[in-house]
């Protein structure tokens, strides 16, 4: 695709109407763009602020054509969208990101292979399709291992941890006939980090500060900036992200999750769009991951990134939401984002809060005084 500039007043089509689409649309609206969204859910988060809502399934070709006709440029807010639809947009010259990053990140086998081809370290893994293949692969691996579906799955869904050889029998109920899975060694890492960056159509890259991720029950709880890593580790993370960006010809905002162990990094997962671990950029940086993404796909120049010294983003799940809203007048010191979701479930992401400050100790004190750490 040529570096066509989509000017304010143009329409950005978004495939997917969740919270990432909503925040992307909010940034675009501030810049003067109109928004069209394709999503099957009535009054989904993005539709609440969009100009056009095409209410249909993501693989509906007729609906995709309508989105294409209504849009000057198209993007996606999550990776598990229909590849045929993505290729339709690419052929129409309206998907600067292309379908290839989707093809890679939808499939854990391809994702690992691309990282290895780029010369980047990953945990030892094997691709299997049956219990017998799993049993054959395990003698060359070290327990514990984790078994994952080759596609789909998030926040701990679609995976099974096998602590020792005696647990392997449990995999029989997990493995489905005709399925493909990845089994990888469980890395006893020191911490997990995210490198979120944006790459323009012309190949310029800007990096956001590296974030440190804290999980609870396999769901992201906090993202903390700056990450507690050395400059050497930070340089490795940035070099790895650059290698992946160039290999995959990334356009727009992209996230790479990495494990850090003994000052080495290991590629874990990638996301070809703005990411939960980059939400802190809305308040903590002069340009958010969402605005930078809009600038990239619309052919605008990227802004240099500047940031506050420290920030913490805390996810608000369904089990936290009523507590937060009932006490909203008592809390202080944070920015609150409500995603506008109609149905609340205990582990569903309903919003997030962000605190910014001079250092993490100052922020942690505010979190403690607000009892947010008790969630």
């Amino acid at each position: 695709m040529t570096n066509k500039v989509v000017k304010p007043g143009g329409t950005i089509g978004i495939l997917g109407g969740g919270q990432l689409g909503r925040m992307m649309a909010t940034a675009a609206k501030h810049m003067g763009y109109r928004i069209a969204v394709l999503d099957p859910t009535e009054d989904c988060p993005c539709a609440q602020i969009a100009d056009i809502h095409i209410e249909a399934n993501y693989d509906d070709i007729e609906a995709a054509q309508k989105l294409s006709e209504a849009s000057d440029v198209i993007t996606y807010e999550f990776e598990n969208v229909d590849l045929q639809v993505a290729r339709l947009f690419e052929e129409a010259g309206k998907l600067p990101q292309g379908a290839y990053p989707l093809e890679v990140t939808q499939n854990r086998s391809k994702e690992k292979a691309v990282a290895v081809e780029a010369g980047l370290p990953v945990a030892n893994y094997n691709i299997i399709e049956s219990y017998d293949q799993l049993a054959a692969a395990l003698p060359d691996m070290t327990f514990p291992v984790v078994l994952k579906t080759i596609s789909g799955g998030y926040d701990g869904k679609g995976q099974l941890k096998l602590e020792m050889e005696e647990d392997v029998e449990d995999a029989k109920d997990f493995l489905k006939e005709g399925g493909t899975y990845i089994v990888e060694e469980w890395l006893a890492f020191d911490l997990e980090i995210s490198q979120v960056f944006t790459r323009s159509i012309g190949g310029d890259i800007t990096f956001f500060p590296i974030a440190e991720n804290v999980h609870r029950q396999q769901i992201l709880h906090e993202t903390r900036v700056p990450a507690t890593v050395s400059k050497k580790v930070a340089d490795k993370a940035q070099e790895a992200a650059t290698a992946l960006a160039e290999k995959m010809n990334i356009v727009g905002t992209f996230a790479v999750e990495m494990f850090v162990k003994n000052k080495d990094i290991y590629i874990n997962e990638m996301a070809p769009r703005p990411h939960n671990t980059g939400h802190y950029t809305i308040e903590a940086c002069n340009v958010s991951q969402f605005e930078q993404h809009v600038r990239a796909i619309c052919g605008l120049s990227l802004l240099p990134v500047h940031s506050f010294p420290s920030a913490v983003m805390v996810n608000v799940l369904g089990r936290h939401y009523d507590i937060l809203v009932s006490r909203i007048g008592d809390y202080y010191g944070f920015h609150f984002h409500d995603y506008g979701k109609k149905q609340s479930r205990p582990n569903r992401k309903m919003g997030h809060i962000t605190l910014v400050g001079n250092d993490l100790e100052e922020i942690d004190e505010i979190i403690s005084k607000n009892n947010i750490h008790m969630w």
Side-chain angles (χ1 to χ4, degrees):
M1 179 173 177
T2 58
N3 192 8
K4 180 183 74 172
V5 174
V6 179
K7 298 177 181 178
T11 299
I12 299 173
I14 303 177
L15 192 57
Q19 66 263 24
L20 295 175
R22 180 189 182 96
M23 288 182 271
M24 200 184 295
T26 300
K29 282 283 191 176
H30 282 302
M31 298 169 70
Y33 292 100
R34 293 174 62 83
I35 300 295
V37 60
L38 192 161
D39 190 280
T41 306
E42 181 183 2
D43 199 36
C44 61
C46 186
Q48 293 167 16
I49 58 173
D51 301 280
I52 301 169
H53 179 199
I54 301 168
E55 198 174 319
N57 291 328
Y58 302 124
D59 60 355
D60 186 321
I61 299 299
E62 184 178 344
Q65 291 284 7
K66 289 181 181 178
L67 182 68
S68 184
E69 291 167 4
S71 306
D72 296 294
V73 65
I74 295 173
T75 185
Y76 40 80
E77 65 122 29
F78 70 124
E79 54 267 34
N80 292 317
V81 299
D82 189 82
L83 269 179
Q84 183 180 357
V85 167
R87 289 180 178 128
L88 182 153
F89 297 146
E90 186 175 27
E91 289 168 5
K94 294 187 176 182
L95 188 70
Q97 295 159 273
Y100 179 64
L102 282 174
E103 181 182 339
V104 171
T105 55
Q106 282 181 2
N107 186 295
R108 289 188 172 97
S109 174
K110 292 181 180 179
E111 194 173 57
K112 295 287 187 187
V114 165
V116 171
E117 289 167 11
L120 303 175
V122 299
N124 184 27
Y125 75 97
N126 280 282
I127 305 301
I128 58 124
E129 295 180 346
S130 67
Y131 179 81
D132 289 343
Q133 289 183 4
L134 171 64
L138 288 175
D140 295 324
M141 305 184 77
T142 302
F143 283 94
V145 299
V146 61
L147 190 59
K148 301 177 183 179
T149 54
I150 205 71
S151 60
Y154 60 96
D155 291 341
K157 299 178 178 68
Q159 60 181 263
L160 175 68
K161 186 179 181 183
L162 306 176
E163 296 281 359
M164 58 188 72
E165 192 170 349
E166 288 74 13
D167 297 332
V168 177
E169 285 287 321
D170 297 340
K172 288 183 176 178
D173 293 330
F174 182 82
L175 299 168
K176 307 299 180 187
E177 187 175 351
T180 304
Y181 302 84
I182 182 170
V183 57
E184 60 182 311
E185 291 181 358
W186 185 273
L187 197 66
F189 55 89
D190 302 321
L191 70 156
E192 181 191 282
I193 59 173
S194 289
Q195 176 64 80
V196 179
F197 65 87
T198 309
R199 187 171 184 264
S200 71
I201 291 173
D204 295 326
I205 301 179
T206 60
F207 295 93
F208 292 101
I210 294 173
E212 182 174 339
N213 304 323
V214 179
H215 291 80
R216 288 185 182 173
Q217 298 174 342
Q218 297 181 298
I219 300 172
L220 181 68
H221 172 61
E222 281 185 353
T223 294
R224 300 170 63 83
V225 174
T228 53
V229 296
S230 65
K231 185 180 184 303
K232 183 177 181 180
V233 169
D235 288 345
K236 285 182 180 180
Q238 195 169 105
E239 289 164 6
T242 301
L244 291 169
E246 293 177 351
K247 182 169 183 59
M248 299 169 67
N249 195 26
I250 297 302
V251 172
T253 294
F254 192 96
V256 186
E257 293 180 335
M258 310 176 201
F259 295 133
V260 179
K261 181 177 173 62
N262 298 330
K263 298 184 180 180
D264 290 320
I265 61 163
Y266 297 83
I267 305 301
N268 181 28
E269 294 182 347
M270 313 173 202
R273 37 78 181 170
H275 193 257
N276 194 174
T277 58
H279 290 348
Y280 76 89
T281 63
I282 298 173
E283 283 86 21
C285 298
N286 63 305
V287 58
S288 74
Q289 62 168 343
F290 300 100
E291 180 182 342
Q292 203 79 309
H293 181 74
V294 170
R295 297 180 72 89
I297 64 170
C298 289
L300 307 181
S301 62
L302 304 181
L303 292 175
V305 176
H306 306 286
S307 66
F308 276 91
S310 299
V312 175
M313 185 283 304
V314 184
N315 273 327
V316 177
L317 305 184
R319 62 177 178 267
H320 312 139
Y321 183 78
D322 288 343
I323 300 171
L324 176 63
V325 172
S326 67
R327 296 179 55 196
I328 196 72
D330 301 323
Y331 286 126
Y332 72 96
F334 64 75
H335 304 269
F336 175 44
H337 293 256
D338 188 318
Y339 298 155
K341 295 180 179 179
K342 302 303 179 186
Q343 291 185 331
S344 176
R345 296 188 295 273
N347 290 332
R348 192 180 197 198
K349 292 169 185 170
M350 302 298 292
H352 73 267
I353 62 175
T354 302
L355 303 93
V356 297
N358 293 315
D359 54 56
L360 289 172
E361 290 77 12
E362 172 189 318
I363 294 172
D364 285 338
E365 185 175 343
I366 297 172
I367 289 174
S368 180
K369 286 182 177 178
N370 282 304
N371 286 322
I372 296 169
H373 65 291
M374 298 300 292
W375 287 359

